[in-house]
Amino acid sequence: MTQRGALIAVLLIGLASFSLVAVARYERHEPTQWEQVQAALSQALSQVPEELRPTDLYLDGQNPAHAASVEFDFASGALLLGPGAENLPSSVWLHELGHARMRGARPHGVLGGRLFRAIDEGAADYFAACVSGSPRLGNASELRDLTAPPAVAASEWATLALPSGFDAHRMGWALAARLYAIEPRRGPLLDALVACLDGESELDRAADTPSATVQALLRACPANARDRIAKVLTAWLPAVLSTPGSPQ
């Protein structure tokens, strides 16, 4: 897709099948790229269990940030596609579909917002790994292996409060690895995580602290899964930031 070959489309997912319907603007002189995008997305969606699929998706064929990329934008609810997105591996599409499925309320503050971005990235990595059946996510230039996560140093956690240096994907990678080590296939843990991040919550009203953010998240989780999710977050977070526990 080029600058001239922009597209906006809506993906409608039925109960037993899904279809792509082009709407708004899409220049027909680039049908090959559009067909390849359809094929890449359809292939990824075919791996996702019906109950874990997003209810609807919008595609925007002009991603101003990156080439050869697909990125879910929480503000618009669209998948932003860069040129070459159709060539990305299925795990990249699955990661972004995970974001699209888990799109409940989010914190507005700086500290809570950054911490939650890391949680979001970890949840999307875990979603992609469980659905694909492989802990290796991404492409050769940006590979994340959930069996070989990075050790997040104290200096990296400090970037939650600093003007630069924060890396949500690296922190999320470490969280996803902990989740994957507990349950490496789709099961109660993934289902609970999806429910935590996609349901009603107080996250958009929580105080701007890591502890308040985690507590608000846990209150959004199914009651029978809170202790389990709390233990994972406690193991992932440095003690100085939070000892979440399970809210009453």
Side-chain angles (χ1 to χ4, degrees):
M1 281 170 289
T2 67
Q3 289 284 327
R4 296 182 59 216
L7 63 91
I8 294 179
V10 59
L11 171 66
L12 304 175
I13 303 174
L15 292 178
S17 63
F18 52 84
S19 61
L20 288 165
V21 182
V23 297
R25 55 195 174 93
Y26 172 60
E27 297 185 14
R28 295 290 178 178
H29 64 274
E30 291 198 352
T32 301
Q33 287 89 340
W34 174 231
E35 290 169 3
Q36 290 172 345
V37 166
Q38 284 182 298
L41 181 53
S42 296
Q43 196 278 333
L45 274 167
S46 69
Q47 300 178 64
V48 182
E50 181 181 311
E51 59 275 17
L52 293 182
R53 292 178 186 167
T55 54
D56 59 352
L57 281 175
Y58 301 89
L59 305 183
D60 188 333
Q62 284 187 321
N63 184 351
H66 305 289
S69 67
V70 55
E71 179 181 353
F72 181 72
D73 179 55
F74 280 94
S76 65
L79 283 176
L80 307 179
L81 308 178
E86 65 274 14
N87 299 318
L88 290 169
S90 180
S91 65
V92 175
W93 288 91
L94 289 171
H95 174 99
E96 299 305 327
L97 289 173
H99 281 313
R101 180 62 177 83
M102 298 178 279
R103 52 185 296 190
R106 296 295 186 266
H108 296 305
V110 174
L111 290 175
R114 285 180 175 176
L115 177 62
F116 215 83
R117 279 175 57 198
I119 293 173
D120 270 330
E121 294 302 334
D125 271 358
Y126 181 55
F127 181 97
C130 287
V131 171
S132 70
S134 172
R136 294 170 63 84
L137 309 173
N139 50 35
S141 64
E142 194 175 340
L143 181 68
R144 294 190 296 278
D145 186 340
L146 301 193
T147 64
V152 182
S155 59
E156 294 178 81
W157 287 107
T159 62
L160 288 171
L162 296 177
S164 63
F166 172 69
D167 188 340
H169 287 92
R170 182 175 164 84
M171 290 182 176
W173 179 1
L175 173 59
R178 290 186 178 276
L179 292 163
Y180 189 81
I182 295 169
E183 197 169 278
R185 294 290 182 270
R186 186 268 173 105
L189 184 59
L190 178 62
D191 291 349
L193 195 62
V194 170
C196 295
L197 294 169
D198 193 46
E200 295 293 326
S201 76
E202 306 165 8
L203 281 159
D204 55 347
R205 303 185 297 277
D208 190 22
T209 67
S211 179
T213 298
V214 170
Q215 290 293 324
L217 170 61
L218 291 174
R219 284 192 290 272
C221 294
N224 61 357
R226 287 174 186 163
D227 285 340
R228 198 177 190 195
I229 299 295
K231 288 177 181 177
V232 176
L233 294 175
T234 299
W236 172 62
L237 286 165
V240 68
L241 278 184
S242 174
T243 305
S246 184
Q248 300 300 313

